[in-house]
Amino acid sequence: IGAEGGTALAAVLRTNTSIRQLNLYGNGLGGPGGEAVANALKRNASLTVLDLGDNHLGDLSSTKIANALRATTTLTSLQIQPLNDLHPGSSGMGDPRLASGC
């Protein structure tokens, strides 16, 4: 779906109350799509499981996603694998909700 599709989906996630699990593995979100999803996570109150693996998120959007975890109380599982999406020093890796798949 690429960055544009990820941004459009994120707009829906901001106000969605019925989607509980979302698998976006390998959809080419890139940094812009990842940032949009991060912003949506801050407002979403229903999503419990999210898979963002193999989207080449990069450091900035990965950090924004990690920061969004602080704002959400419903998300219990976030998959980001393979870990080449995250580089050493990216914040949030200590959050127990992050699954590395290792």
Side-chain angles (χ1 to χ4, degrees):
I1 65 174
E4 188 175 316
T7 300
L9 183 60
V12 171
L13 285 176
R14 284 189 198 108
T15 58
N16 179 274
T17 58
S18 58
I19 296 175
R20 305 277 183 247
Q21 298 183 11
L22 184 59
N23 184 342
L24 292 173
Y25 187 92
N27 275 282
L29 299 179
E35 289 179 41
V37 169
N39 289 330
L41 286 177
K42 294 177 186 177
R43 295 187 180 104
N44 182 280
S46 64
L47 201 59
T48 60
V49 177
L50 179 59
D51 188 341
L52 292 173
D54 198 22
N55 276 291
H56 307 284
L57 300 173
D59 290 342
L60 181 60
S61 63
S62 296
T63 299
K64 288 185 177 195
I65 289 167
N67 290 335
L69 290 177
R70 295 183 182 107
T72 180
T73 58
T74 57
L75 192 69
T76 58
S77 176
L78 174 61
Q79 299 286 325
I80 299 180
Q81 50 182 310
L83 286 181
N84 63 357
D85 281 357
L86 301 175
H87 301 286
S90 293
S91 63
M93 289 306 291
D95 193 301
R97 294 175 287 182
L98 287 174
S100 67
C102 297

